[in-house]
RNA sequence: GGGCUCGUGGUCUAGUCGGUUAUGACGUCGCCCUUACACGGCGGAGGUCGCCGGUUCGAAUCCGGCCGGGCCCA
């Protein structure tokens, strides 16, 4: 044990946190592949290396670290890996911005190198924040998706799914961002409300309303509702497209809304998802009017080369001139945009790569996973249910995992590399063998690259040791922690890939965390100026306070509003615990403690009961990932039970030297030790610091989780009485204008049980206290009656009020000794036991005393 | 438009398979520097538990409707 004068007066989180950060060793958190302990593998989210670890990440990582540390203390072999999901457009854009170039100004390889360098720099910055936050990361299991080691696995997974038929290429309409010049998946489409114009114009004698006149060149049919009698004459006919002159068929489809516009719509390839639907349904031709850059194509005739906005204006102008534009009205619409750059997406038909979506398979695996909170499973179900298209995984970008495929220039045969040669970039190297079909050695490497979700959706396979052959050794992982914003992407794709590649669910449990909102209750955003960065909190209050906010801010799974109050109260709790530490150390260093000392005094037994309850509550809450419940129980025990009640009761006893002191010392140490251990997952620096003073050279993080139990029902009941008596007498002093330490005269406590308080009550109240079990010799008068309404209600139902009136009508003697039956509304009825308690006022003969009643305990106070 | 979720003192929050006086934090007011702590202690004020209706002896809690916020999806 350290000496109390080594403890600084104030807890200096900055000094303490930095000191322990330097002391702790990474190896302590390494997953042991040869361990016999049960495994607990976490499929940590790999953040995008923006350079800033934001507060939403911080919350999620707090949760992860709470249970990672807890599970280690519970004896699990924990893997808490750290991944980095590097590829993708944001980095490409940043590189272009920082270097004042566009991706076409340098070679693909040069551009990739710039992206890699920026990413490395960003990762380095974010690692520092992770360390400051005291996350018990397993750095031996760090993975970086842009490294050959990782993306060769991505490529291997591609080849495996290609071989098993999950992956195919085809020409199919896809969501396309013409600014980013790449296809994107539905999960990357964000919808925005915009106002547009609905244009009514004459279409070969029929009025048609459209929001996208620029697609006239791509018109392939006119659709009407089959029951729409207005258009009976058109059935089976074809019509001439205005301005362009090509003929298109008239088709009938139930999905046409006769009330919208004129009830006749033009089908273009493609204005929206509905067009794709109709196009397939009615087997229509394909007219590509927009190219990858968003410019009008050849078939747009004189409009060729214009962008869509220019084309729209030109066509509307021409329609006006030809007097075929009838009217224009405003229309609110929801338009799909690129999640990254907010450019409205186009639907283009392109040769792309797809992953087959098999909804039943995914639903089945999703249901085998335990979801916290449960209702988040619904989001997955809903998303899977409405999937219509397969997952488009090819992207026309640069900084991403290459698609490891070549095509024979002579016969078009697809050639894939040997698995042992992975990773490959087919744009840089050639296949090692000639074409099997035609023997040619001329190949074109696939220039498309993979969606970054193809990288991150195998995170769990990567950490569990997947090598391409069935189930990995540590698969499935025990838990996936993630936000609800990426259920439809990361969770969905991961389940899909795990099932496709291993046949099984990826994890046993999924813990979904909420989003962090700003102090104003809105999503944090630059424009609102409500962004809080973790560094700011680390600077002002330290990592432990930030972590406590993460635990206490809201129930696990619900959105959490950032709140400085919670951070402040977290710091205060640390101050309180610091002083408890100091007090305990001062007391225990006087003579140590005897672990076999008999625990005798009521207060001591009571605290151990409270501790036992707390340990049970906290353990249960940790098992259920209810960190708010757990930390709240810890704080309540420390602050309320230990500091405000127990220590106040026993400090007098601790100041003196007699036999009963040993009991208090043992209890103080037991409680303190348990508190350190229970706090260890939440406030690792603080818990370590406090623990170290009592156990120099030992780490609280290497201790087992608390398993303390103490069963003493009498101590619970009598101890609660004791605490209440003290509280009531304090209030009495307060009400009578006395200082809390003001001396009182004789205080007699008439309690139903004999109490051995070792003099604690007297010293605490500064009074001559006597506990007695005999009846107080007081004249008492009944002033009121307390009813146990839960019993009254259950027993008497509608007669409840009548019963209570009947009881009130009883004589004082009957109230003291209740009869067996009572007359209610003229009916003699059984009187249940303990259904009411008389409230008394007491007068003591002769002596002037004040009387307090606390339940069945009577306290008489003689003023000094 | 559909699905999910939430609405509790000034602010944030617990409780939500019905039951005596609705939890805690921050703020606020009063008293107290008692040998761990004034970054503290003790005490107080402050709530029609979003609104309306229903079920029940009894509703923050269950049911229905409405209003409002958030998220996801059309």
């Amino acid at each position: 044990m350290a000496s109390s004068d080594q403890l600084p007066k104030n807890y200096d989180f900055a000094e303490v946190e930095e000191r322990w950060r330097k002391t702790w060793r990474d190896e302590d958190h390494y997953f042991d592949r040869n361990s016999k302990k049960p495994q607990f593998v976490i499929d940590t989210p790999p953040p995008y290396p923006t350079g800033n670890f934001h507060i939403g990440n911080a919350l999620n990582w707090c949760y992860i670290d709470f249970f990672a540390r807890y599970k280690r203390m519970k004896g699990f072999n924990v893997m808490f890996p750290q991944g980095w999901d590097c590829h993708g457009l944001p980095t490409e854009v940043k590189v272009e911005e920082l270097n004042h170039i566009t991706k076409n100004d340098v070679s693909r390889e040069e551009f990739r190198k710039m992206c890699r360098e920026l990413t490395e720099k960003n990762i380095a910055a974010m690692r520092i924040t992770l360390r400051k936050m005291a996350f018990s990361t397993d750095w031996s299991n760090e993975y970086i998706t842009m490294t050959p080691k990782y993306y060769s696995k991505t490529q291997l997974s591609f080849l495996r799914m290609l071989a098993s038929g999950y992956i195919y290429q085809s020409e199919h309409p896809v969501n396309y961002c013409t600014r980013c010049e790449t296809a994107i998946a539905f999960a990357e489409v964000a919808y925005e409300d915009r106002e547009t114009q609905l244009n009514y114009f004459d279409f070969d004698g029929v009025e048609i309303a459209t929001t996208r006149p620029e697609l006239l060149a791509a018109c392939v049919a006119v659709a009407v509702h089959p029951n729409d009698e207005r258009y009976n004459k058109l059935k089976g006919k074809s019509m001439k497209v205005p301005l362009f002159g090509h003929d298109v068929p008239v088709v009938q489809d139930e999905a046409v809304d006769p009330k919208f516009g004129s009830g006749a719509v033009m089908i273009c390839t493609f204005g929206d998802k509905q067009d794709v639907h109709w196009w397939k349904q009615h087997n229509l031709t394909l007219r590509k009017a927009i190219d990858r850059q968003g410019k009008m194509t050849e078939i747009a005739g004189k409009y060729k080369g214009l962008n869509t906005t220019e084309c729209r204006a030109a066509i509307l102008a021409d329609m006006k001139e030809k007097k075929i534009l009838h009217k224009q009205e405003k229309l609110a619409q929801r338009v799909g945009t690129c999640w990254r750059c907010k450019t409205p997406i186009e639907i283009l038909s392109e040769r792309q790569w797809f992953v087959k979506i098999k909804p039943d398979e995914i639903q089945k695996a999703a249901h085998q996973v335990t979801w916290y909170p449960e209702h988040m499973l619904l989001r997955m179900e809903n998303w899977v249910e409405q999937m219509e298209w397969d997952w488009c995984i090819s992207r026309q970008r640069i900084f991403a995992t290459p698609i490891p495929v070549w095509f024979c220039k002579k016969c078009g045969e697809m050639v894939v590399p040997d698995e042992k040669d992975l990773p490959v970039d087919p744009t840089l190297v050639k296949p090692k063998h000639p074409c099997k079909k035609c023997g040619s050695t001329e190949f074109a490497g696939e220039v498309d690259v993979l969606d970054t979700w193809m990288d991150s959706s195998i995170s769990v396979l990567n950490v569990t040791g997947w090598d391409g052959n069935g189930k990995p050794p540590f698969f499935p992982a025990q838990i996936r922690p993630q936000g609800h914003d990426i259920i439809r992407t990361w969770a969905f794709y991961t389940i899909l890939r795990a099932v496709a590649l291993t046949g099984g669910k990826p994890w046993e449990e999924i813990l979904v965390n909420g989003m962090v909102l700003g102090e104003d209750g809105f999503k944090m955003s630059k424009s609102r100026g409500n962004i809080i960065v973790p560094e700011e909190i680390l600077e002002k209050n330290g990592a432990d306070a930030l972590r406590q906010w993460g635990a206490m801010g809201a129930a696990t799974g619900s959105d959490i509003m950032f709140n400085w109050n919670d951070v402040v109260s977290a710091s205060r709790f640390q101050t309180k615990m610091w002083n408890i530490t100091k007090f305990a150390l001062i007391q225990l260093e006087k003579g140590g403690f005897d672990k076999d000392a008999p625990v005798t005094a009521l207060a001591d037994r009571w605290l151990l009961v409270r501790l036992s309850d707390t340990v049970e509550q906290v353990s249960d809450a940790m098992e259920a990932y209810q960190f708010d419940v757990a930390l709240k129980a810890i704080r309540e025990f420390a602050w309320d039970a230990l500091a405000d009640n127990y220590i106040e009761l026993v400090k007098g006893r601790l100041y003196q030297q007699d036999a009963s002191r040993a009991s208090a010392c043992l209890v103080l140490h037991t409680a303190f030790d348990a508190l350190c251990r229970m706090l260890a997952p939440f406030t690792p620096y603080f818990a370590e610091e406090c623990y170290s003073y009592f156990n120099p050279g030992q780490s609280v993080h290497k201790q087992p989780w608390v398993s303390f139990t103490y069963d003493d029902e009498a101590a619970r009941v009598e101890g609660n009485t004791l605490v209440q008596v003290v509280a009531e007498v304090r209030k009495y002093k307060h009400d009578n204008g006395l200082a809390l330490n003001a001396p009182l005269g004789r205080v007699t406590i008439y309690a139903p049980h004999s109490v051995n308080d070792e003099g604690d009550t007297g010293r605490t109240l500064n009074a001559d206290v006597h506990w007695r079990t005999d009846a107080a010799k007081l004249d008492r008068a009944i002033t009121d009656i307390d009813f146990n309404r839960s019993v009254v209600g259950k027993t008497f139902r509608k007669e409840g009020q009548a019963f209570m009136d009947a009881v009130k009508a009883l004589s004082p003697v009957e109230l003291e000794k209740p009869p067996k039956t009572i007359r209610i509304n003229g009916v003699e009825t059984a009187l249940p036991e303990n259904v009411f308690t008389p409230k008394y006022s007491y007068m003591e003969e002769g002596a002037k005393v004040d009387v307090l009643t606390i339940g069945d305990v009577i306290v008489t106070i003689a003023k000094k």
Side-chain angles (χ1 to χ4, degrees):
Chain A
M1 198 183 299
S3 150
S4 63
D5 51 26
Q6 286 178 273
L7 264 86
K9 181 161 167 54
N10 294 312
Y11 180 70
D12 179 357
F13 71 83
E15 185 275 322
V16 171
E17 294 188 358
E18 199 190 338
R19 175 155 44 79
W20 286 113
R21 192 158 56 243
K22 284 179 179 159
T23 312
W24 289 334
R25 299 172 336 135
D26 285 351
E27 300 87 88
D28 292 339
H29 303 137
Y30 288 177
F31 180 72
D32 178 0
R33 280 167 200 275
N34 302 310
S35 170
K36 292 206 167 58
K37 294 176 180 176
Q39 71 167 47
F40 193 83
V41 174
I42 302 160
D43 183 17
T44 322
Y48 198 80
T50 56
N52 296 303
F53 195 77
H54 66 75
I55 193 143
N57 294 137
L59 175 70
N60 196 189
W61 262 252
C62 282
Y63 289 173
I64 300 170
D65 200 51
F66 297 156
F67 63 70
R69 289 182 180 277
Y70 169 73
K71 290 288 177 182
R72 269 189 218 106
M73 293 175 87
K74 288 289 278 187
F76 285 84
N77 180 27
V78 173
M79 190 202 291
F80 179 2
Q82 178 61 49
W84 304 98
D85 183 18
C86 310
H87 290 136
L89 203 56
T91 298
E92 291 191 14
V93 172
K94 198 81 195 168
V95 162
E96 289 179 322
E97 214 178 278
L98 290 173
N99 297 287
H100 309 290
I101 55 165
T102 72
K103 67 184 200 297
N104 303 320
D105 295 343
V106 294
S107 71
R108 281 169 77 94
E109 210 23 58
E110 178 66 15
F111 192 71
R112 274 188 190 149
K113 188 170 160 249
M114 292 166 121
C115 289
R116 276 198 302 272
E117 283 168 2
L118 175 64
T119 302
E120 274 160 17
K121 207 179 99 199
N122 286 343
I123 289 175
M126 291 171 82
R127 280 194 195 112
I128 292 172
T129 309
L130 290 172
R131 286 183 181 278
K132 282 189 182 165
M133 292 286 298
F135 297 136
S136 56
T137 310
D138 175 357
W139 292 106
S140 71
N141 278 294
E142 184 182 31
Y143 62 90
I144 300 173
T145 61
M146 68 178 179
T147 58
K149 189 181 165 199
Y150 190 95
Y151 79 77
S152 63
K153 288 190 189 181
T154 306
Q155 291 190 327
L156 178 59
S157 73
F158 175 92
L159 293 177
R160 284 295 155 93
M161 287 173 70
L162 183 66
S164 61
Y166 270 94
I167 288 180
Y168 62 95
Q169 57 165 343
S170 94
E171 167 138 0
H172 188 277
V174 290
N175 295 304
Y176 200 94
C177 175
T178 53
R179 199 214 65 90
C180 303
E181 291 183 41
T182 184
I184 58 175
F186 263 109
E188 293 162 296
V189 177
Y191 292 87
E192 273 188 17
D193 287 314
R194 294 200 181 173
E195 191 173 78
T196 185
Q197 235 168 13
L198 186 60
N199 307 285
Y200 293 78
F201 67 102
D202 182 276
F203 192 113
D204 200 8
V206 172
E207 184 172 78
I208 279 186
T210 182
T211 56
R212 304 211 52 192
E214 70 274 21
L215 284 173
L216 207 53
C219 177
V220 292
V222 169
V224 295
H225 194 276
N227 301 338
D228 195 335
E229 293 179 359
R230 287 174 293 178
Y231 301 115
N232 273 345
K233 58 180 176 8
L234 292 178
K235 283 175 188 171
K237 298 262 173 61
S238 69
M239 299 176 73
K240 206 168 271 302
V241 177
L243 303 183
F244 293 91
H246 59 284
D247 289 325
V248 295
V250 175
V251 300
Q252 298 171 56
D253 197 294
E254 305 253 330
V256 178
D257 179 3
K259 288 188 216 96
F260 183 81
S262 62
V265 298
M266 61 175 195
I267 302 176
C268 306
T269 53
F270 297 95
D272 58 19
K273 216 169 139 189
Q274 183 62 49
D275 281 343
V276 178
H277 215 85
W278 282 327
W279 175 73
K280 279 191 193 168
Q281 192 84 16
H282 300 284
N283 224 352
L284 301 167
T285 53
L286 178 66
R287 290 177 68 88
K288 297 186 189 182
I290 298 172
D291 70 9
R292 291 180 167 207
Q293 281 80 40
K295 296 262 166 52
M296 303 313 291
T297 64
E298 204 70 40
I299 66 159
K302 69 174 204 182
Y303 307 103
K304 185 193 166 190
L306 299 180
N307 68 32
T308 51
T309 316
E310 292 161 352
C311 180
R312 178 184 308 201
I315 284 185
L316 287 172
D318 288 348
M319 282 180 169
K320 265 183 198 156
E321 201 187 302
K322 293 210 148 100
K323 307 233 187 301
I324 58 170
L325 185 64
H326 296 165
K327 60 172 172 174
Q328 296 179 297
E329 48 188 45
K330 285 186 176 163
L331 180 74
Q333 78 168 161
R334 216 156 150 72
V335 61
T337 64
C338 172
W339 70 286
R340 174 56 37 192
C341 68
K342 301 292 171 213
T343 306
I345 53 138
E346 293 293 346
I347 297 179
L348 303 186
S349 186
E350 294 262 345
R351 185 194 65 93
Q352 300 284 352
W353 292 86
F354 297 91
V355 168
K356 261 190 202 136
I357 289 171
K358 302 182 180 175
D360 295 347
E361 223 173 66
I362 297 168
Q363 292 283 24
K364 193 179 151 210
H367 280 81
Q368 286 167 352
V369 175
T370 306
W371 291 70
Y372 296 94
E374 216 177 332
H375 69 258
M376 291 296 179
L377 171 60
L378 274 164
R379 297 210 179 175
M380 175 63 79
E381 287 178 337
N382 293 343
W383 176 249
V384 180
E385 271 164 24
Q386 59 85 56
M387 293 298 304
E388 284 183 56
W389 300 0
D390 284 339
W391 172 19
C392 175
I393 54 167
S394 45
R395 298 288 182 273
Q396 293 70 50
R397 298 297 307 183
I398 296 173
F399 184 47
T401 299
I403 295 179
V405 161
W406 296 270
F407 296 98
C408 174
K409 278 189 180 166
K410 206 166 158 197
C411 71
E413 179 74 359
M414 189 203 302
V415 175
V416 297
D418 290 341
E419 289 178 3
K420 65 173 168 43
D421 295 329
L422 296 177
V424 300
D425 182 343
T427 63
L428 296 180
V429 297
K430 293 262 173 240
K432 291 193 170 166
H433 311 288
C435 173
K436 275 181 188 150
K437 202 171 165 192
C438 72
S440 166
T441 52
E442 292 289 300
F443 296 96
E446 173 62 88
V447 291
D448 281 6
V449 293
L450 288 172
D451 179 4
T452 50
W453 292 110
M454 279 291 280
D455 297 330
S456 56
S457 57
I458 58 162
S459 61
V460 66
L461 294 173
N462 176 57
V463 299
T464 54
W466 185 72
D467 61 1
N469 301 309
K471 284 198 179 170
F474 302 105
F475 187 88
Q478 274 53 59
I479 193 165
R480 150 66 64 92
Q482 66 159 75
H484 59 63
D485 54 334
I486 51 174
I487 288 175
R488 64 183 183 146
T489 50
W490 195 40
F492 172 75
Y493 292 142
T494 301
I495 293 176
L496 187 166
R497 301 262 274 154
V499 174
L501 291 162
T502 73
K505 62 177 176 185
W507 345 274
E508 289 167 1
E509 301 181 324
I510 179 167
L511 177 64
V512 180
N513 66 274
M515 299 291 106
V516 179
L517 309 173
E519 281 198 285
D520 52 7
F522 290 98
K523 214 183 211 172
M524 287 193 188
S525 72
K526 274 184 194 156
S527 56
R528 284 191 194 278
N530 60 352
I531 295 180
I532 306 277
V533 296
E535 277 74 12
E536 186 181 351
I537 308 162
L538 290 174
E539 190 72 26
K540 287 182 182 155
N541 301 84
D544 287 327
L546 173 51
R547 294 170 62 108
Q548 285 192 65
W549 161 80
M552 295 282 283
T556 315
S558 47
D559 287 348
I560 168 172
M561 208 181 290
F562 180 77
N563 191 349
W564 279 108
N565 283 348
D566 290 341
V567 179
V568 168
S569 91
S571 293
R572 282 195 194 164
F573 173 64
Q574 283 166 202
T575 304
K576 191 69 192 179
M577 262 305 287
W578 184 244
N579 284 299
I580 293 172
T581 305
K582 217 187 306 178
F583 180 80
L585 198 56
I586 289 168
Q587 297 312 321
L588 294 179
E589 73 185 350
K590 286 181 192 163
F593 73 98
D594 174 5
K595 65 178 171 51
D596 298 317
V599 174
T600 48
L602 175 60
D604 299 346
R605 289 159 55 214
W606 173 80
L607 192 79
L608 292 183
V609 170
R610 289 290 309 266
L611 176 63
S612 178
D613 290 351
T614 304
V615 169
E616 192 183 342
Q617 274 170 35
V618 174
S619 304
D620 289 351
M622 293 304 282
E623 291 294 332
Y625 305 109
Q626 294 176 322
F627 309 115
D628 57 327
V629 175
L631 185 54
K632 199 174 167 188
I634 296 171
R635 281 205 207 175
E636 223 171 79
F637 174 77
W639 208 316
D640 182 61
L642 178 61
D644 290 348
N645 286 303
Y646 180 73
I647 291 180
E648 289 303 323
L649 273 168
V650 304
K651 83 204 309 193
R653 172 148 48 104
L654 286 164
Y655 293 153
Q656 60 191 32
Q657 278 298 342
D658 67 24
S660 65
R661 189 175 183 276
S663 171
C665 285
L666 173 59
V667 169
L668 193 58
H669 184 270
T670 306
F672 180 79
D673 180 79
L675 271 173
C676 288
R677 289 175 204 233
M678 289 191 287
L679 278 170
F682 294 104
T683 57
Y685 294 119
F686 182 75
E688 185 80 313
E689 179 72 1
C690 294
Y691 190 81
S692 72
Y693 284 98
F694 290 81
N695 308 275
Q698 291 186 56
S699 170
V700 71
H701 301 295
K702 291 184 183 167
Q703 307 307 314
W705 183 253
V706 199
S707 61
F708 181 79
T709 56
Y710 187 85
D711 191 18
D712 187 343
E713 199 48 38
R716 183 200 307 280
V717 175
E718 292 163 23
N720 285 340
T721 302
L722 172 61
V723 168
Q724 278 177 52
V725 165
V726 171
E728 285 298 322
V729 174
R730 279 182 189 151
K731 188 169 183 298
Y732 166 87
K733 285 187 177 179
H734 187 268
D735 291 347
N736 288 277
L738 298 168
L740 287 181
N741 58 349
L744 288 175
R746 185 184 170 92
V747 171
T748 312
I749 306 167
Y750 299 92
H753 309 282
S754 68
V755 164
N756 169 22
D757 75 347
E758 298 286 1
D760 289 339
T761 328
R763 285 184 295 266
T764 304
L765 299 178
N766 196 11
D768 177 22
V769 169
H770 299 266
W771 288 83
R772 295 174 60 160
T773 51
D774 57 330
K777 286 181 184 138
L778 299 168
D779 290 330
R780 61 181 187 178
I782 294 170
T783 55
D784 200 1
I785 298 160
D786 276 345
F787 288 96
N788 183 337
R789 280 166 205 274
S790 72
V791 178
V792 172
K794 264 185 208 144
T795 313
F796 296 101
R797 303 275 149 182
K798 282 183 176 163
E799 314 270 42
Q801 195 54 51
F803 165 74
M804 292 193 282
D805 290 342
V807 170
K808 283 178 189 161
L810 293 173
S811 71
V813 178
E814 286 172 315
L815 285 171
E816 293 272 5
K817 260 185 117 60
K820 291 264 186 295
T821 60
I822 188 164
R823 215 169 169 77
I824 305 170
N825 291 338
V827 182
E828 201 66 29
T829 314
L831 178 65
E833 279 182 43
N834 301 323
V835 69
F836 68 86
T837 322
K839 277 168 100 175
Y840 298 107
S841 85
Y842 296 87
M843 297 298 296
E844 197 165 45
E845 294 164 29
K848 260 191 173 179
V849 293
D850 289 320
V851 179
L852 304 174
T853 59
I854 302 134
D856 50 6
V857 175
I858 297 155
V859 180
T860 64
I861 301 166
K863 276 186 192 163
K864 205 155 198 180

